Amino acid sequence: MKFKTSLLLLLLILSALTSLPQAKQKQTGTLFIIGGGSRSQELMQSLVNTAQLNKNDYIVVLPMSGEEPDTSYFYISADLRKVCTNTIANLNFTKEKINDKIWLDSVQNAKLIFITGGDQNRFMEIVLHTPVQEAIQKAYASGSTIAGTSAGAAMMSKKMITGNELSGDSVRSGSFKSIRYNLVEVKEGLGLLSTAVIDQHFIARSRYNRLLSVLAANPTYPCIGIDEETAIIVKGKKVTVVGDGQVITLTLPQPVLRSIKERSLVNLRNIQMNILTKGDVFYLK
């Protein structure tokens, strides 16, 4: 009798547990990172397909990187309107607008967020550690697609290449004529991609010295150089190349952490380099 009673209680407990609401599985959105340059209709169609837009979904453009934000919005929205009929909102946040609840809700609930090119430092000076950054991160966490081109690509990383070169105690616009430790200024980006560093306009502007210097200073981070008219689609750890150009990946299979002098010449061996084109897939750690 005691055994039957114990069995009944166990069944009741199991039944109660299975009837409880299940914890929601953590969702993650998708990153669509464009290396800059012109955007073909095929590339933009790939973006819209990736975002899986329904007719009632809307797109938010964040143009704060641009020197002329309205112009940045105009060109991006023109490209998007060739491939979709969804509403496209221009939300040019300023320091005075970063707490605007209606705008923040609009960002957080957008199915697709597009960050324009320009200057990544200009964008992050407005957005870093503000409710705007939080809204972008929440949108991404809930399944939205976050896209960016040029400067909008660079800031996807947690470690963001600013484009500036470090020279002693000064910072200047980068020419990067050598490969040195601590040559490239790196600041905090949006943090949507925490396991890699992104560079853009890569082949068109021969940015090998810059990215190799970043790799030397951050040996555990894969470095990804995206050329113009090209993008990577990041879904979880899977990365797919789309577009007309190439993507370069630089990694150190066995990173060697060493004590180095400030701005000394880089000395590394066994760097793994891949040149990838449309349809190629690789995986992040």
Side-chain angles (χ1 to χ4, degrees), residues 39 44 61 72-80 114 116 149:
R39 297 167 294 275
M44 298 307 288
V61 174
S72 297
Y73 167 77
F74 173 82
Y75 284 112
I76 292 298
S77 61
D79 286 347
L80 285 166
F114 196 104
T116 68
T149 184

Side-chain angles (χ1 to χ4, degrees), residues 238-255:
K238 182 180 179 181
V239 183
T240 305
V241 179
V242 295
D244 297 328
Q246 296 157 298
V247 170
I248 305 294
T249 64
L250 301 172
T251 57
L252 285 170
Q254 294 181 322

